[in-house]
Amino acid sequence: MKIVVMCGVGVGTSAILKGNAERALERLDIDASVVATDVAGVRAEAADAQVILTSSELVAAIGKTNADVIVISNYFDVDELVAKLDVALGS
């Protein structure tokens, strides 16, 4: 399973979200590859992703995808990530 985390530039914010997404997946006992990207690289990364995590401001930049797009309000809130990933992945 592949999960893509996306921010505007793909450096700081996506690294924070990537780390917290990995923590959330550990809590859910789900094995997945988490990849950080920016707006420019999201379409390529999303081609084989099951889930894309991003902010509400960046959803439109994703374009057409078969992945579940999950809007994260607080990148630092692991509980939010656990709840939203649990619903999306049906664990």
Side-chain angles (χ1 to χ4, degrees):
M1 174 180 314
K2 180 178 177 181
I3 296 176
V4 174
V5 298
M6 183 184 90
C7 75
V9 180
V11 183
T13 309
S14 62
I16 292 165
L17 184 55
K18 180 181 186 291
N20 287 336
E22 290 169 340
R23 286 182 193 83
L25 291 166
E26 284 177 23
R27 287 190 195 176
L28 293 167
D29 198 29
I30 295 173
D31 186 32
S33 169
V34 182
V35 178
T37 190
D38 60 5
V39 171
V42 72
R43 290 188 186 178
E45 289 294 348
D48 61 345
Q50 284 71 40
V51 174
I52 300 170
L53 304 174
T54 192
S55 66
S56 60
E57 297 85 8
L58 297 175
V59 170
I62 296 169
K64 185 174 177 157
T65 181
N66 291 323
D68 288 331
V69 177
I70 300 175
V71 173
I72 303 300
S73 301
N74 182 348
Y75 286 13
F76 294 97
D77 186 352
V78 178
D79 291 334
E80 177 188 0
L81 286 159
V82 167
K84 290 182 175 180
L85 285 168
D86 191 29
V87 168
L89 300 174
S91 61

